[in-house]
Amino acid sequence: MTEHAARFDPVCPSGIAPIHIGDKWTAMVICLLAEEPMRYSTIRTQLGPVTAKVLTATLRDLERNGFVARSEHPGPPRSVHYGLTELGRTLLPAIALAVGWAHDHLGAMLDAQESYDREHARRDRADLR
């Protein structure tokens, strides 16, 4: 086993982490539901361009992980509300840290991406010659 491979635990729980880097909607849904329980249509309206399929999958994942509770209210009209659980509320400080980091460092990250893209565009053009 290499020195680097020994640092990684094969049973590391990162694959089951509640929020994955790059997951666009999970943190936003959690923040919305921190304010108050909401109906599906309200969540979707607040988020804007999220598709029904993606929002449904996000809410199901959050419910499965115990972060969101789904409650049905008999009608008429029947309604379903989603609310943040106590476990879900424990994620709010971590989300706030990530938002703070983005506020402080997003410009530098975007500059790095732009520089990388420019450099690789030059290399790609040179490789085509």
Side-chain angles (χ1 to χ4, degrees):
M1 188 178 323
T2 68
E3 179 183 327
H4 294 293
R7 294 183 192 170
F8 298 101
D9 184 349
V11 293
C12 175
S14 63
I16 60 169
I19 299 176
H20 300 279
I21 301 300
D23 181 334
K24 186 174 180 175
W25 303 108
T26 298
M28 287 189 262
V29 169
I30 289 170
C31 289
L32 277 176
L33 295 178
E35 298 171 14
E36 63 183 341
M38 294 183 182
R39 293 180 67 160
Y40 178 93
S41 59
T42 304
I43 298 168
R44 187 154 183 222
T45 300
Q46 293 288 319
L47 291 178
V50 66
T51 65
K53 180 180 178 179
V54 169
L55 180 56
T56 298
T58 299
L59 287 167
R60 284 185 181 152
D61 285 346
L62 287 168
E63 185 179 6
R64 180 175 182 264
N65 289 323
F67 302 130
V68 167
R70 180 181 185 273
S71 57
E72 291 188 37
H73 305 279
R78 179 181 152 260
S79 65
V80 175
H81 286 81
Y82 295 89
L84 206 54
T85 65
E86 287 305 311
L87 182 60
R89 290 191 181 285
T90 66
L91 293 170
L92 293 171
I95 293 170
L97 280 172
V99 168
W101 181 93
H103 182 269
D104 294 343
H105 302 286
L106 188 60
M109 187 181 82
L110 293 174
D111 290 345
Q113 287 176 353
E114 186 177 307
S115 175
Y116 177 93
D117 292 345
R118 260 194 324 271
E119 179 62 30
H120 283 79
R122 272 189 238 127
R123 277 193 215 152
D124 292 346
R125 282 192 304 270
D127 289 346
L128 291 175
R129 291 181 199 162

